Amino acid sequence: MATAIPKITLSSSRDIPFNRLVLSQSNVRRVKSGLSIEELARDIERRGLLQSLNVRPVLDGEGAETGTYEVPAGGRRFRALELLVKQKKLAKTAPVPCVVREVGSAILAEDDSLAENVQRVALHPLDQFRAFRDMLEKGMSEEEIAAAFFVAPAVVKQRLRLMTVSDKLLDIYEKDGMRLEQLMAFSISDDHARQEQVWDIVSQSHNREPYVIRRMLTEKTVRASDARARFVGLEAYIVAGGHVMRDLFEADDGGWLQDPAILDRLVMEKLQEAAEQVRAEGWKWVETALSFPWGHTRHFAEIDGREVPLTDEETARLEVLRAEQETIEAEYAQADEYPDEVDARLGEIEQAIVALEERPLTFDSADMARAGAFVSLDSDGTLQVERGFVLPEDMPAESEETDDADGYDHAGYDGRDHDSTGHGYQEGEGDNIAPDVEPEEEDGIKPLPDRLLTELTAWRTLALRDAFASNPHIALTELLHTLVRDFYWQTSGADCLEAYVREISLPVHSPDMPGSLPAHALRQRNDGWKHDLPEDEDALWRWIDGLDDASRMALLAHCLSFGVNALYERMPAYGAVSQRSVTERLKRADRLASALGLDLVEAGWQPSVENYLGRVTKARILQAVREARGDEAADRIAHLKKPDMAREAERLLDGSGWLPEALRTVGLADQAQVETVTTGGDMEAIAAE
């Protein structure tokens, strides 16, 4: 016969006069957090008590009930009711709904208090949005909703903005298929079809950061010179149904592609085809993306490949090219410059030599079975394939015993591995980086947001490293300066030599930095040194000892460059590094930039909506245009809304050489300002562009 399941009995509930209730000392909540007592009291005044109090009878010395009840669970509600009584808004004897725990219960009062606070689940943001939407549709205004829930109207507006997001994407978010930051990024567009198309693209990509989503959604047209357009080709784009806008009166560098969705689809299809070909080589995994974050291979190990040797035909071809190059250079040794046709021929020879000298690598099949590759789009519109990276969990156990045996980390320099976060970096992992909240629109110039300032100085740090590595004399001077400061102004330790370079990461950066000129130069320089290193680690010291002085200095400058730190950071009040130290760091970085003659314009930084103009106030946008093009230009866009103003400012600042103050170099900045004012007056020509 089946055993009957015992039935539980719930505690009784009844109304108890407020003056018969007292706050229990068993209430576990001691620290105030969240909604204040005053706000809760106002909410109860408006809508009444939504949740009963949990109470227990108070017993006298003989164990008999006194008619008074203590409140171990619901203390904040009790204090809110107490405040309403003091304000004469609630009678002392007003009945309060209570759930009464029986005398002698085995459940402790502290147990009830803890359970009530711990077992509640915070409302999902999507549920909050839907509730706000329903109240809005039933007649409440955004301000009334904000007042009812004691939040800022901006919070309500942000949640209601999710009404612009496709239902398909809302369902994906509800099932934890994307993060809230990603969902919010989609809300900048009202085009549901485009939103879903962008998600289909980024969901196949390694890089799904919100800034990538925003960039793709805000694109209206794409220049034909864009890396994606060069990768796909205009002909393929047009065949797929894309349209190109051309300017028949001005040079337009190939025009503008008006259908970025078609272009993105073609790019991803071509990248996927390339990834399949790479996967067929025998790699364990292949990651594909339009672009990977700076330093995405940082926490990967690398397997060694072997260069494919030159064939006899290639060797003979290389000798012929070098002989021709030497003949031309000798013939024009005394000339001030090469004739155009000779200069063009030398360029062809150099490219042919580089193509022969940069040999492809072959890898052992056993190594390939545990390693992978990254397939992406390079900044010049060519396919970029990075092979031979191993996840930490796929590394053989014995590698820990032999790794860095002589103190030299051969896997430490990979160009893109340095100065960045690791694989799978998510926004928000960068320590001490404040959220990028745009300042309120007010008259005057507000300070730049901390995150934007960090991104700008990350760009500057990268360019400064490139300039630093190209100038061994300055690099050695800076090293000696650092060593002398440490020796004479600090207490020396017992170590033989404490000089070292600490690799400085760049976890926060703008999306255009990985494809920049300094990044490209650093990768090429790093690959060159890596190619020249001896295969045998035991021969490393002898190899370095045998270098000529120029090569030793160049290698020193290259290694030191990864320790250059010109980053602005907002430090916590009691952090290991003080804000004063950061200020001193920036002063020393300014000195170094001046010594190197660092010019961020020559390094390729250009103000855009994405990396600056869309991130600052209208006052700063107008200030930039005024400095670069004069008052007349600034006045022409002063009436525009901020998004339109930022886009128009990007056009006006193109080619102006203007830089934010954080990117300017003392001396060069003064000269650039004079040139800008001198050339900025002809606004009719600029407006006609």
Side-chain angles (χ1 to χ4, degrees):
M1 182 176 178
T3 303
I5 299 175
K7 302 297 190 294
I8 64 172
T9 302
L10 300 178
S11 298
S12 60
S13 62
R14 63 180 176 212
D15 292 342
I16 299 175
F18 178 79
N19 61 354
R20 306 298 294 175
L21 300 175
V22 294
L23 188 62
S24 172
Q25 296 302 309
S26 300
N27 195 301
V28 299
R29 186 185 289 275
R30 297 287 189 270
V31 181
K32 293 182 179 180
S33 64
L35 199 67
S36 72
I37 299 299
E38 292 77 9
E39 290 174 335
L40 182 57
R42 291 202 301 271
D43 189 73
I44 294 175
E45 180 183 358
R46 175 177 176 266
R47 72 176 85 246
L49 192 66
L50 295 179
Q51 187 176 355
S52 301
L53 303 184
N54 183 289
V55 303
R56 292 170 179 246
V58 176
L59 307 179
D60 60 17
E62 298 178 359
E65 294 188 18
T66 62
T68 302
Y69 297 83
E70 63 177 359
V71 184
R76 293 180 67 251
R77 276 164 279 147
F78 174 84
R79 290 191 181 279
L81 293 170
E82 186 179 47
L83 179 60
L84 291 172
V85 170
K86 289 179 180 179
Q87 295 174 345
K88 309 296 185 182
K89 296 179 179 179
L90 182 71
K92 292 182 180 180
T93 59
V96 179
C98 298
V99 174
V100 183
R101 175 73 73 178
E102 67 275 15
V103 176
S105 172
I107 305 298
L108 297 175
E110 290 84 352
D111 193 349
D112 281 344
S113 179
L114 183 64
E116 184 182 74
N117 287 281
V118 171
Q119 293 182 4
R120 66 174 127 195
V121 178
L123 193 66
H124 194 281
L126 199 57
D127 290 329
Q128 188 182 36
F129 146 66
R130 287 167 174 160
F132 285 172
R133 180 190 60 188
D134 292 343
M135 287 186 285
L136 186 71
E137 292 176 348
K138 292 179 180 179
M140 291 184 68
S141 68
E142 294 175 352
E143 290 73 17
E144 290 173 336
I145 296 173
F149 293 92
F150 304 100
V151 297
V155 174
V156 178
K157 293 180 184 295
Q158 289 173 349
R159 288 291 183 262
L160 291 176
R161 183 62 184 169
L162 297 179
M163 294 174 65
T164 64
V165 179
S166 159
D167 288 338
K168 176 182 176 181
L169 299 186
L170 292 176
D171 291 340
I172 293 174
Y173 170 63
E174 185 175 359
K175 298 174 183 176
D176 295 327
M178 71 171 72
R179 308 193 316 272
L180 178 60
E181 294 82 1
Q182 293 170 319
L183 185 72
M184 292 169 64
F186 281 105
S187 68
I188 63 175
S189 170
D190 297 328
D191 188 343
H192 289 184
R194 176 61 175 157
Q195 290 174 356
E196 294 171 8
Q197 191 173 44
V198 168
W199 177 249
D200 289 339
I201 293 172
V202 299
S203 63
Q204 304 174 40
S205 170
H206 169 75
N207 191 0
R208 306 178 186 179
E209 294 303 312
Y211 72 80
V212 175
I213 296 171
R214 291 190 183 94
R215 182 188 65 195
M216 296 175 69
L217 287 172
T218 55
E219 284 180 330
K220 300 299 182 183
T221 61
V222 178
R223 284 190 175 275
S225 57
D226 186 271
R228 292 166 296 167
R230 283 182 283 172
F231 179 63
V232 170
L234 283 180
E235 184 177 349
Y237 166 78
I238 294 172
V239 169
H243 299 85
V244 179
M245 179 174 62
R246 302 298 301 266
D247 190 336
L248 303 180
F249 304 98
E250 296 286 342
D252 59 10
D253 199 18
W256 295 267
L257 283 64
Q258 294 181 280
D259 301 287
I262 294 177
L263 178 63
D264 287 336
R265 175 174 58 81
L266 294 175
V267 170
M268 290 305 300
E269 289 176 355
K270 192 170 181 178
L271 284 176
Q272 291 293 345
E273 291 175 3
E276 291 302 322
Q277 296 175 7
V278 173
R279 187 176 287 107
E281 297 173 5
W283 298 105
K284 179 179 180 180
W285 52 266
V286 177
E287 287 275 7
T288 308
L290 287 173
S291 64
F292 290 101
W294 174 257
H296 58 285
T297 59
R298 176 182 174 85
H299 293 311
F300 287 77
E302 276 191 82
I303 60 175
D304 295 324
R306 298 178 300 277
E307 281 192 355
V308 176
L310 289 167
T311 64
D312 293 340
E313 181 180 349
E314 289 173 331
T315 302
R317 172 64 176 160
L318 186 59
E319 292 176 355
V320 169
L321 289 169
R322 286 174 174 165
E324 183 181 358
Q325 184 183 45
E326 292 172 0
T327 300
I328 294 176
E329 290 176 348
E331 182 179 352
Y332 292 92
Q334 304 302 319
D336 293 335
E337 59 182 21
Y338 296 116
D340 292 342
E341 63 276 6
V342 174
D343 189 54
R345 177 54 186 161
L346 279 176
E348 294 173 357
I349 293 173
E350 290 174 359
Q351 291 181 1
I353 290 175
V354 169
L356 288 171
E357 289 181 337
E358 293 183 352
R359 309 299 300 161
L361 299 177
T362 59
F363 298 87
D364 183 83
S365 58
D367 289 336
M368 295 173 67
R370 59 186 174 89
F374 295 96
V375 177
S376 60
L377 190 59
D378 206 348
S379 58
D380 61 356
T382 59
L383 182 70
Q384 178 168 291
V385 181
E386 300 167 286
R387 298 176 174 87
F389 295 96
V390 184
L391 288 163
E393 58 265 28
D394 292 334
M395 285 297 296
E398 61 268 20
S399 64
E400 298 179 2
E401 302 174 1
T402 59
D403 185 35
D404 201 17
D406 60 356
Y408 188 90
D409 185 3
H410 288 273
Y413 293 115
D414 181 39
R416 298 182 71 166
D417 291 4
H418 284 279
D419 317 316
S420 55
T421 58
H423 181 60
Y425 167 80
Q426 300 293 330
E427 281 192 19
E429 289 180 2
D431 291 339
N432 305 325
I433 303 301
D436 195 358
V437 179
E438 180 185 311
E440 295 180 0
E441 292 289 350
E442 294 181 8
D443 293 338
I445 301 300
K446 290 290 184 180
L448 292 176
D450 287 344
R451 183 184 177 90
L452 174 58
L453 196 53
T454 302
E455 289 185 7
L456 293 174
T457 51
W459 226 107
R460 189 191 191 209
T461 298
L462 190 71
L464 191 57
R465 287 176 181 177
D466 181 38
F468 186 93
S470 302
N471 195 320
H473 177 79
I474 296 294
L476 185 56
T477 301
E478 183 69 8
L479 173 62
L480 290 174
H481 177 268
T482 300
L483 294 177
V484 170
R485 279 174 56 93
D486 292 344
F487 184 78
Y488 285 102
W489 279 276
Q490 296 183 13
T491 303
S492 58
D495 298 287
C496 177
L497 180 64
E498 280 286 332
Y500 66 94
V501 176
R502 180 172 64 90
E503 178 186 332
I504 306 300
S505 65
L506 303 178
V508 178
H509 60 77
S510 56
D512 62 334
M513 199 179 79
S516 64
L517 293 176
H520 183 69
L522 283 167
R523 283 195 296 269
Q524 281 195 321
R525 187 181 295 108
N526 187 75
D527 291 342
W529 282 115
K530 188 175 180 182
H531 174 270
D532 293 341
L533 289 176
E535 294 183 5
D536 185 2
E537 293 186 15
D538 294 334
L540 178 61
W541 196 94
R542 295 190 301 273
W543 177 80
I544 295 176
D545 189 51
L547 291 176
D548 59 70
D549 287 343
S551 298
R552 289 158 61 89
M553 294 287 282
L555 179 58
L556 172 65
H558 173 67
C559 294
L560 290 176
S561 70
F562 290 108
V564 171
N565 186 357
L567 279 174
Y568 167 86
E569 297 174 275
R570 173 60 64 185
M571 291 298 171
Y574 301 101
V577 178
S578 68
Q579 200 65 40
R580 182 177 179 181
S581 298
V582 175
T583 301
E584 178 62 22
R585 171 207 300 169
L586 296 177
K587 289 181 180 178
R588 295 179 68 180
D590 288 340
R591 185 196 61 240
L592 186 58
S594 297
L596 290 165
L598 178 67
D599 188 347
L600 267 294
V601 175
E602 290 186 1
W605 192 89
Q606 284 278 358
S608 67
V609 173
E610 190 171 73
N611 69 12
Y612 184 81
L613 299 169
R615 314 273 295 283
V616 298
T617 60
K618 293 172 67 174
R620 281 197 175 272
I621 298 174
L622 293 174
Q623 180 191 44
V625 174
R626 186 172 291 109
E627 290 179 355
R629 299 300 189 188
D631 292 337
E632 182 183 353
D635 293 340
R636 288 184 178 182
I637 65 172
H639 67 285
L640 298 176
K641 293 183 179 179
K642 183 180 171 181
D644 297 331
M645 179 187 289
R647 285 191 292 269
E648 186 63 11
E650 179 178 346
R651 185 182 72 85
L652 291 171
L653 294 175
D654 185 23
S656 68
W658 180 87
L659 294 171
E661 188 174 355
L663 299 185
R664 298 173 188 173
T665 298
V666 177
L668 288 179
D670 298 337
Q671 179 183 354
Q673 183 70 14
V674 172
E675 293 175 354
T676 296
V677 172
T678 302
T679 60
D682 188 8
M683 292 308 304
E684 291 183 2
I686 297 171
E689 292 180 0

